[in-house]
Amino acid sequence: MARPLEGVRVIELAAHIAGPACGRLLSDLGAEVIKIEGPSGDAWRQTGMSYCPNRFDMEENPSFDICNTGKKCIVLDLKSDFGKEAVHKLLATADMFVSNFRPDALRRLGLHYEQLAPMYPGLIYGMSLGFGEKGPEASKKAMDVTAFWARSGYLRDSNPIEIDEPFYPPWCVGDTAVGTQMALEMVAAYINKLKTGKGDVVKAGLFQESVYLFGHMISITQPPFGKKFPQSKLDHLMDYHFKCKDGRYVMVSLVGGNATNLQVFRMLGLSELCDDERYNCYKGRAERREEVYRIVREAFLKKDAAEWNELALEYDIPVTIMPHYSDLSGDEQAWANGYLEKIDYPNGHSDVVPASVFDMGCMEKKKTEMAHAIGQDTEEVLRSIGMEMPEKRD
């Protein structure tokens, strides 16, 4: 079964997560993705191994494989005449170019969009940025935790006000979101190219992505509206997480309005509160915040998390058990839907990784496999453009 992007060639000059995440998604859709690395390889190869140094090595590196599966990996010195010639011959055969190098670095290599557009007018050029191309911080080095998590306001405003210190973020989420947005933009630009014959430049950035993804919070906290954060856990009342009898936590969402609030009372065995004006409306509960929180908190302590999870299904309330990251690799729901899979490594280990996010009737999911070694495909790719590796000199 053909994949939508079969026949499309993508040149990836990217490191870490954002650019490679875009390349991985394009590969999942069928594109031939050629990843260019320097002689020491993408720095994320080393970073990936550092997460579990007693286990991960160049042979088993799932942190790297997640974003680099399905690609051809070649080594080029882009500062050398040979490397420059090779990359331009590759670009002449390519439909797309993906990079998360900083704009100034791309200009020094002669690979910025402004430099390539006149030479390759049909090229779809994807730029992953940090703080954007303009403004006083355009050239500032940006990472996921700084330009996405910290700059969005999330880290400062997410902990309850009772904990007077910033929240600490998970890794790589902003980068992955940027890569996903850029892949969507590149596919859209390619569709437009099929209609018009013209290439395009698409941009996605960490700060930009944070403004978009945290847009609801930015909107309601602006001066005309003045919603205040960080908040106390009492500001959420029943729309919060609660500890259960077995020490696990469940998260409750009350987006359904007052009717959902009352349904939670019924699930908790507190049906009498549904007929009490002190508790059956927002105003009454707000006037008794501490009391309502105490009643609900004590009720959740009477059953295990799994029992509340089952009752939530019965009462049709959005409730979920709050797992640890380490629990997800064995999550029955994730496995049932194909959200997880395993990579089998040559050393005999088998590691759980997230599966491709694409679920399309026109194609089977592409299996996540080990990323290729540094330079594994250099000779093959160079031959495809009529070049051979230069002879090594002593």
Side-chain angles (χ1 to χ4, degrees):
M1 187 180 293
R3 297 178 182 277
L5 293 186
E6 282 190 12
V8 172
R9 173 172 272 191
V10 180
I11 307 303
E12 177 190 300
L13 179 63
H16 296 280
I17 300 294
C22 173
R24 184 254 161 95
L25 294 175
L26 296 173
S27 172
D28 286 351
L29 289 170
E32 177 195 31
V33 179
I34 299 171
K35 181 181 181 72
I36 299 175
E37 300 176 79
S40 59
D42 180 344
W44 198 257
R45 290 183 186 269
Q46 300 295 327
T47 304
M49 290 189 293
S50 73
Y51 287 133
C52 298
N54 295 328
R55 169 78 178 246
F56 294 168
D57 53 27
M58 283 296 186
E59 193 176 69
E60 180 186 3
N61 195 354
S63 293
F64 182 78
D65 297 335
I66 289 169
C67 288
N68 292 284
T69 181
K71 302 175 184 177
K72 294 178 178 178
C73 295
I74 70 171
V75 168
L76 289 176
D77 177 3
L78 296 181
K79 295 179 182 179
S80 70
D81 291 340
F82 181 87
K84 290 175 183 177
E85 180 185 359
V87 75
H88 279 281
K89 283 192 173 182
L90 283 170
L91 288 170
T93 69
D95 301 283
M96 299 178 181
F97 176 76
V98 176
S99 184
N100 62 348
F101 284 22
R102 281 188 274 184
D104 287 347
L106 290 169
R107 286 191 182 92
R108 288 194 295 271
L109 292 170
L111 297 175
H112 192 276
Y113 173 72
E114 298 161 354
Q115 297 163 309
L116 294 184
M119 303 166 66
Y120 312 106
L123 188 67
I124 308 299
Y125 189 107
M127 297 179 68
S128 172
L129 303 168
F131 290 96
E133 285 192 287
K134 302 175 183 178
E137 297 177 81
S139 61
K140 186 176 183 180
K141 188 172 185 177
M143 303 301 284
D144 178 273
V145 294
T146 58
F148 179 83
W149 287 115
R151 197 54 179 271
S152 67
Y154 179 84
L155 301 189
R156 191 63 192 89
D157 284 348
S158 290
N159 264 341
I161 203 168
E162 290 85 355
I163 302 175
D164 187 23
E165 62 180 54
F167 190 81
Y168 191 78
W171 300 325
C172 307
V173 177
D175 283 322
T176 304
V178 168
T180 303
Q181 178 192 328
M182 190 157 65
L184 172 63
E185 290 179 304
M186 297 194 78
V187 170
Y190 184 70
I191 293 171
N192 187 60
K193 176 187 172 180
L194 296 178
K195 297 176 180 177
T196 65
K198 297 179 180 179
D200 204 350
V201 57
V202 305
K203 303 171 187 177
L206 287 165
F207 185 35
Q208 174 199 30
E209 196 73 16
S210 75
V211 171
Y212 177 73
L213 293 179
F214 295 99
H216 179 72
M217 312 305 287
I218 294 169
S219 176
I220 65 177
T221 55
Q222 62 185 292
F225 311 123
K227 188 73 173 177
K228 298 294 183 183
F229 286 89
Q231 294 187 325
S232 166
K233 57 189 177 183
L234 294 178
D235 291 323
H236 299 274
L237 287 180
M238 295 150 60
D239 187 7
Y240 204 61
H241 55 258
F242 294 95
K243 192 173 185 178
C244 304
K245 184 179 179 180
D246 57 355
R248 302 177 76 187
Y249 283 82
V250 294
M251 186 74 196
V252 184
S253 174
L254 299 179
V255 173
N258 194 51
T260 306
N261 282 253
L262 301 184
Q263 192 72 335
V264 171
F265 283 148
R266 296 185 186 98
M267 182 189 75
L268 293 172
L270 302 170
S271 298
E272 68 277 6
L273 300 184
C274 297
D275 300 319
D276 192 324
E277 293 182 357
R278 295 173 297 173
Y279 307 103
N280 66 4
C281 63
Y282 286 120
K283 184 176 183 295
R285 290 191 296 272
E287 291 172 349
R288 297 166 181 80
R289 289 180 182 277
E290 292 189 19
E291 181 186 359
V292 171
Y293 181 74
R294 176 185 57 78
I295 291 171
V296 173
R297 184 187 63 204
E298 291 176 355
F300 270 107
L301 286 169
K302 294 178 180 179
K303 296 182 187 294
D304 291 346
E307 295 179 86
W308 290 124
N309 201 44
E310 288 298 316
L311 281 169
L313 286 170
E314 180 183 334
Y315 283 85
D316 197 29
I317 300 169
V319 172
T320 191
I321 298 173
M322 299 177 69
H324 292 282
Y325 293 132
S326 58
D327 296 324
L328 266 293
S329 60
D331 191 295
E332 181 182 359
Q333 187 69 16
W335 282 106
N337 287 279
Y339 301 157
L340 296 169
E341 60 182 329
K342 290 183 178 180
I343 298 180
D344 296 322
Y345 289 95
N347 60 12
H349 293 160
S350 184
D351 299 340
V352 176
V353 294
S356 173
V357 295
F358 294 118
D359 192 352
M360 302 172 65
C362 67
M363 68 176 197
E364 294 181 0
K365 277 194 174 186
K366 190 173 183 181
K367 182 174 172 54
T368 304
E369 298 177 336
M370 280 183 63
H372 287 191
I374 299 171
Q376 179 175 330
D377 307 290
T378 303
E379 291 186 12
E380 174 196 337
V381 171
L382 288 177
R383 281 197 299 269
S384 77
I385 53 173
M387 296 184 70
E388 296 285 344
M389 286 292 293
E391 294 184 7
K392 292 183 180 180
R393 298 180 180 177
D394 295 332

